[in-house]
Short mmCIF file of all heavy atoms in Angstrom, two decimals:
data_model
loop_
_atom_site.label_atom_id
_atom_site.label_comp_id
_atom_site.label_asym_id
_atom_site.label_seq_id
_atom_site.Cartn_x
_atom_site.Cartn_y
_atom_site.Cartn_z
N PHE D 764 -20.52 -17.04 6.52
CA PHE D 764 -21.81 -17.57 6.99
C PHE D 764 -21.55 -18.92 7.58
O PHE D 764 -20.57 -19.65 7.36
CB PHE D 764 -22.76 -17.72 5.75
CG PHE D 764 -22.18 -18.41 4.55
CD1 PHE D 764 -22.34 -19.78 4.33
CD2 PHE D 764 -21.49 -17.71 3.58
CE1 PHE D 764 -21.78 -20.42 3.26
CE2 PHE D 764 -20.98 -18.32 2.44
CZ PHE D 764 -21.10 -19.68 2.29
N ASP D 765 -22.52 -19.35 8.46
CA ASP D 765 -22.49 -20.63 9.16
C ASP D 765 -23.04 -21.80 8.28
O ASP D 765 -22.61 -22.88 8.38
CB ASP D 765 -23.22 -20.55 10.46
CG ASP D 765 -22.69 -19.51 11.35
OD1 ASP D 765 -21.41 -19.56 11.67
OD2 ASP D 765 -23.39 -18.59 11.84
N GLU D 766 -24.11 -21.44 7.49
CA GLU D 766 -24.83 -22.36 6.65
C GLU D 766 -25.00 -21.64 5.32
O GLU D 766 -25.25 -20.41 5.27
CB GLU D 766 -26.11 -22.78 7.15
CG GLU D 766 -26.18 -23.59 8.43
CD GLU D 766 -27.61 -23.74 8.94
OE1 GLU D 766 -28.56 -23.68 8.07
OE2 GLU D 766 -27.71 -23.78 10.11
N GLY D 767 -24.89 -22.44 4.23
CA GLY D 767 -25.15 -21.86 2.92
C GLY D 767 -24.52 -22.78 1.85
O GLY D 767 -24.08 -23.87 2.13
N PRO D 768 -24.48 -22.26 0.61
CA PRO D 768 -23.92 -23.09 -0.51
C PRO D 768 -22.49 -23.54 -0.15
O PRO D 768 -21.64 -22.63 0.21
CB PRO D 768 -23.94 -22.18 -1.70
CG PRO D 768 -25.04 -21.13 -1.38
CD PRO D 768 -25.00 -20.97 0.10
N GLY D 769 -22.29 -24.81 -0.15
CA GLY D 769 -20.91 -25.30 0.12
C GLY D 769 -20.69 -25.50 1.61
O GLY D 769 -19.69 -26.04 2.03
N LYS D 770 -21.62 -25.04 2.51
CA LYS D 770 -21.55 -25.26 3.91
C LYS D 770 -22.93 -25.77 4.34
O LYS D 770 -23.71 -25.15 5.07
CB LYS D 770 -21.24 -24.03 4.63
CG LYS D 770 -19.75 -23.58 4.78
CD LYS D 770 -19.60 -22.48 5.77
CE LYS D 770 -18.28 -21.72 5.57
NZ LYS D 770 -18.23 -20.54 6.41
N GLU D 771 -23.26 -26.93 3.83
CA GLU D 771 -24.63 -27.46 4.01
C GLU D 771 -24.93 -27.78 5.51
O GLU D 771 -24.21 -28.43 6.14
CB GLU D 771 -24.82 -28.72 3.14
CG GLU D 771 -24.53 -28.56 1.63
CD GLU D 771 -25.33 -27.51 0.98
OE1 GLU D 771 -26.50 -27.45 1.26
OE2 GLU D 771 -24.75 -26.78 0.18
N GLY D 772 -26.06 -27.19 5.96
CA GLY D 772 -26.53 -27.48 7.24
C GLY D 772 -27.77 -28.41 7.12
O GLY D 772 -27.89 -29.16 6.18
N ASN D 773 -28.63 -28.31 8.16
CA ASN D 773 -29.82 -29.21 8.08
C ASN D 773 -31.09 -28.58 7.34
O ASN D 773 -32.15 -29.13 7.41
CB ASN D 773 -30.35 -29.59 9.56
CG ASN D 773 -29.21 -30.30 10.27
OD1 ASN D 773 -28.41 -31.04 9.61
ND2 ASN D 773 -28.98 -30.05 11.53
N TYR D 774 -30.84 -27.43 6.76
CA TYR D 774 -31.95 -26.66 6.19
C TYR D 774 -31.84 -26.37 4.64
O TYR D 774 -32.57 -25.53 4.17
CB TYR D 774 -32.17 -25.38 6.94
CG TYR D 774 -32.44 -25.48 8.46
CD1 TYR D 774 -31.37 -25.69 9.35
CD2 TYR D 774 -33.73 -25.54 8.90
CE1 TYR D 774 -31.60 -25.82 10.72
CE2 TYR D 774 -33.95 -25.73 10.30
CZ TYR D 774 -32.94 -25.81 11.20
OH TYR D 774 -33.23 -26.03 12.51
N GLY D 775 -30.94 -27.11 4.10
CA GLY D 775 -30.69 -26.86 2.62
C GLY D 775 -31.78 -27.50 1.78
O GLY D 775 -32.70 -28.13 2.21
N PRO D 776 -31.62 -27.41 0.40
CA PRO D 776 -30.58 -26.62 -0.21
C PRO D 776 -30.73 -25.14 -0.03
O PRO D 776 -31.82 -24.58 0.37
CB PRO D 776 -30.69 -27.02 -1.68
CG PRO D 776 -32.10 -27.52 -1.86
CD PRO D 776 -32.57 -28.02 -0.56
N TYR D 777 -29.58 -24.38 -0.21
CA TYR D 777 -29.54 -22.94 0.07
C TYR D 777 -29.58 -22.10 -1.19
O TYR D 777 -29.37 -20.88 -1.08
CB TYR D 777 -28.25 -22.65 0.88
CG TYR D 777 -28.41 -23.35 2.27
CD1 TYR D 777 -27.86 -24.61 2.45
CD2 TYR D 777 -28.96 -22.72 3.32
CE1 TYR D 777 -27.90 -25.26 3.66
CE2 TYR D 777 -29.01 -23.33 4.52
CZ TYR D 777 -28.52 -24.61 4.79
OH TYR D 777 -28.65 -25.22 5.94
N ARG D 778 -29.94 -22.67 -2.29
CA ARG D 778 -30.25 -21.91 -3.56
C ARG D 778 -31.73 -22.11 -3.88
O ARG D 778 -32.21 -23.28 -3.90
CB ARG D 778 -29.38 -22.40 -4.73
CG ARG D 778 -27.93 -22.05 -4.64
CD ARG D 778 -27.22 -22.55 -5.93
NE ARG D 778 -25.79 -22.56 -5.66
CZ ARG D 778 -25.18 -23.66 -5.21
NH1 ARG D 778 -25.88 -24.77 -5.02
NH2 ARG D 778 -23.91 -23.56 -5.02
N GLN D 779 -32.46 -21.08 -4.03
CA GLN D 779 -33.89 -21.15 -4.32
C GLN D 779 -34.14 -22.01 -5.65
O GLN D 779 -35.13 -22.71 -5.66
CB GLN D 779 -34.50 -19.84 -4.39
CG GLN D 779 -34.79 -19.20 -3.07
CD GLN D 779 -35.59 -17.92 -3.07
OE1 GLN D 779 -35.62 -17.32 -4.05
NE2 GLN D 779 -36.20 -17.66 -1.98
N SER D 780 -33.25 -21.90 -6.57
CA SER D 780 -33.54 -22.71 -7.82
C SER D 780 -33.52 -24.21 -7.54
O SER D 780 -34.09 -25.00 -8.30
CB SER D 780 -32.50 -22.30 -8.87
OG SER D 780 -31.18 -22.57 -8.33
N ASN D 781 -32.81 -24.57 -6.44
CA ASN D 781 -32.83 -25.99 -6.13
C ASN D 781 -33.95 -26.38 -5.22
O ASN D 781 -34.10 -27.60 -4.78
CB ASN D 781 -31.47 -26.31 -5.36
CG ASN D 781 -30.23 -26.12 -6.23
OD1 ASN D 781 -30.35 -26.18 -7.46
ND2 ASN D 781 -29.06 -25.99 -5.62
N ARG D 782 -34.79 -25.43 -4.87
CA ARG D 782 -35.88 -25.72 -3.98
C ARG D 782 -37.26 -25.48 -4.67
O ARG D 782 -38.33 -25.50 -4.00
CB ARG D 782 -35.84 -24.70 -2.81
CG ARG D 782 -34.57 -24.74 -1.94
CD ARG D 782 -34.40 -23.55 -1.01
NE ARG D 782 -35.47 -23.61 0.04
CZ ARG D 782 -35.40 -24.24 1.18
NH1 ARG D 782 -34.39 -25.02 1.49
NH2 ARG D 782 -36.40 -24.24 2.06
N LYS D 783 -37.22 -25.30 -6.05
CA LYS D 783 -38.48 -24.90 -6.70
C LYS D 783 -39.63 -25.87 -6.62
O LYS D 783 -40.75 -25.45 -6.62
CB LYS D 783 -38.16 -24.46 -8.17
CG LYS D 783 -37.68 -25.59 -9.04
CD LYS D 783 -37.38 -25.04 -10.41
CE LYS D 783 -36.96 -26.13 -11.38
NZ LYS D 783 -36.60 -25.58 -12.68
N ASP D 784 -39.28 -27.14 -6.40
CA ASP D 784 -40.41 -28.08 -6.27
C ASP D 784 -41.26 -27.88 -5.01
O ASP D 784 -42.35 -28.43 -4.89
CB ASP D 784 -39.86 -29.53 -6.31
CG ASP D 784 -39.17 -29.79 -7.60
OD1 ASP D 784 -39.47 -29.14 -8.58
OD2 ASP D 784 -38.29 -30.72 -7.74
N LEU D 785 -40.66 -27.22 -3.99
CA LEU D 785 -41.26 -26.99 -2.74
C LEU D 785 -42.51 -26.03 -2.85
O LEU D 785 -43.53 -26.26 -2.10
CB LEU D 785 -40.34 -26.36 -1.77
CG LEU D 785 -39.28 -27.07 -1.14
CD1 LEU D 785 -38.28 -26.15 -0.33
CD2 LEU D 785 -39.85 -28.06 -0.10
N TYR D 786 -42.36 -25.02 -3.75
CA TYR D 786 -43.27 -23.91 -3.55
C TYR D 786 -44.66 -24.04 -4.03
O TYR D 786 -45.59 -23.47 -3.54
CB TYR D 786 -42.61 -22.65 -4.24
CG TYR D 786 -41.28 -22.37 -3.77
CD1 TYR D 786 -40.12 -22.49 -4.65
CD2 TYR D 786 -40.99 -21.99 -2.45
CE1 TYR D 786 -38.82 -22.15 -4.16
CE2 TYR D 786 -39.75 -21.72 -2.01
CZ TYR D 786 -38.61 -21.87 -2.87
OH TYR D 786 -37.39 -21.63 -2.43
N LYS D 787 -44.89 -24.89 -5.05
CA LYS D 787 -46.18 -25.09 -5.70
C LYS D 787 -47.14 -25.51 -4.66
O LYS D 787 -48.30 -25.00 -4.57
CB LYS D 787 -46.08 -26.02 -6.86
CG LYS D 787 -47.42 -26.01 -7.71
CD LYS D 787 -47.31 -26.89 -8.95
CE LYS D 787 -48.62 -26.78 -9.68
NZ LYS D 787 -48.70 -27.73 -10.84
N LYS D 788 -46.80 -26.50 -3.84
CA LYS D 788 -47.77 -27.01 -2.86
C LYS D 788 -48.19 -26.00 -1.90
O LYS D 788 -49.33 -25.98 -1.45
CB LYS D 788 -47.27 -28.37 -2.20
CG LYS D 788 -46.24 -28.06 -1.14
CD LYS D 788 -45.91 -29.32 -0.33
CE LYS D 788 -44.85 -29.00 0.78
NZ LYS D 788 -44.64 -30.12 1.65
N TYR D 789 -47.26 -25.05 -1.54
CA TYR D 789 -47.62 -23.98 -0.61
C TYR D 789 -48.57 -23.04 -1.26
O TYR D 789 -49.56 -22.52 -0.59
CB TYR D 789 -46.38 -23.28 -0.10
CG TYR D 789 -45.62 -24.14 0.95
CD1 TYR D 789 -44.50 -24.79 0.52
CD2 TYR D 789 -46.05 -24.37 2.21
CE1 TYR D 789 -43.74 -25.65 1.35
CE2 TYR D 789 -45.38 -25.16 3.10
CZ TYR D 789 -44.25 -25.75 2.69
OH TYR D 789 -43.59 -26.58 3.58
N ALA D 790 -48.36 -22.72 -2.56
CA ALA D 790 -49.28 -21.82 -3.27
C ALA D 790 -50.68 -22.46 -3.36
O ALA D 790 -51.73 -21.83 -3.16
CB ALA D 790 -48.69 -21.57 -4.69
N GLU D 791 -50.71 -23.78 -3.56
CA GLU D 791 -52.02 -24.51 -3.68
C GLU D 791 -52.72 -24.59 -2.30
O GLU D 791 -53.92 -24.54 -2.24
CB GLU D 791 -51.83 -25.90 -4.31
CG GLU D 791 -51.43 -25.81 -5.76
CD GLU D 791 -50.96 -27.13 -6.35
OE1 GLU D 791 -50.63 -28.10 -5.57
OE2 GLU D 791 -50.93 -27.33 -7.56
N THR D 792 -51.96 -24.62 -1.25
CA THR D 792 -52.51 -24.58 0.12
C THR D 792 -53.27 -23.27 0.33
O THR D 792 -54.35 -23.27 0.91
CB THR D 792 -51.38 -24.66 1.13
OG1 THR D 792 -50.69 -25.95 0.97
CG2 THR D 792 -51.93 -24.67 2.55
N LEU D 793 -52.66 -22.19 -0.21
CA LEU D 793 -53.32 -20.85 0.04
C LEU D 793 -54.64 -20.76 -0.78
O LEU D 793 -55.60 -20.18 -0.41
CB LEU D 793 -52.35 -19.75 -0.46
CG LEU D 793 -51.14 -19.58 0.50
CD1 LEU D 793 -50.25 -18.41 -0.12
CD2 LEU D 793 -51.59 -19.09 1.85
N ILE D 794 -54.63 -21.39 -2.00
CA ILE D 794 -55.81 -21.39 -2.84
C ILE D 794 -56.86 -22.25 -2.07
O ILE D 794 -58.05 -21.83 -2.00
CB ILE D 794 -55.56 -22.06 -4.27
CG1 ILE D 794 -54.75 -21.00 -5.06
CG2 ILE D 794 -56.83 -22.37 -4.95
CD1 ILE D 794 -54.33 -21.44 -6.41
N ALA D 795 -56.53 -23.39 -1.57
CA ALA D 795 -57.46 -24.28 -0.89
C ALA D 795 -58.12 -23.58 0.34
O ALA D 795 -59.25 -23.77 0.66
CB ALA D 795 -56.79 -25.55 -0.44
N SER D 796 -57.29 -22.71 0.98
CA SER D 796 -57.85 -22.07 2.30
C SER D 796 -58.48 -20.73 1.90
O SER D 796 -58.88 -20.00 2.81
CB SER D 796 -56.64 -21.79 3.18
OG SER D 796 -55.72 -20.88 2.69
N GLY D 797 -58.54 -20.35 0.59
CA GLY D 797 -59.30 -19.11 0.22
C GLY D 797 -58.39 -17.85 0.31
O GLY D 797 -58.90 -16.75 0.17
#
């Protein structure tokens, strides 16, 4: 792979467990928009 764990690019982190703080706000955005 070109980007991923151990080959960090500009779009990391590449493990979802390290990204878990991201998702709640997107879920709440969907609630706000109905």
Side-chain angles (χ1 to χ4, degrees):
F764 52 92
D765 300 305
E766 291 171 31
K770 277 192 198 172
E771 303 303 317
N773 299 325
Y774 298 86
Y777 295 91
R778 287 184 199 91
Q779 280 188 338
S780 58
N781 297 339
R782 300 169 66 85
K783 64 182 181 184
D784 297 340
L785 283 171
Y786 306 114
K787 191 177 183 188
K788 73 168 184 177
Y789 287 101
E791 288 169 346
T792 300
L793 290 175
I794 287 177
S796 65

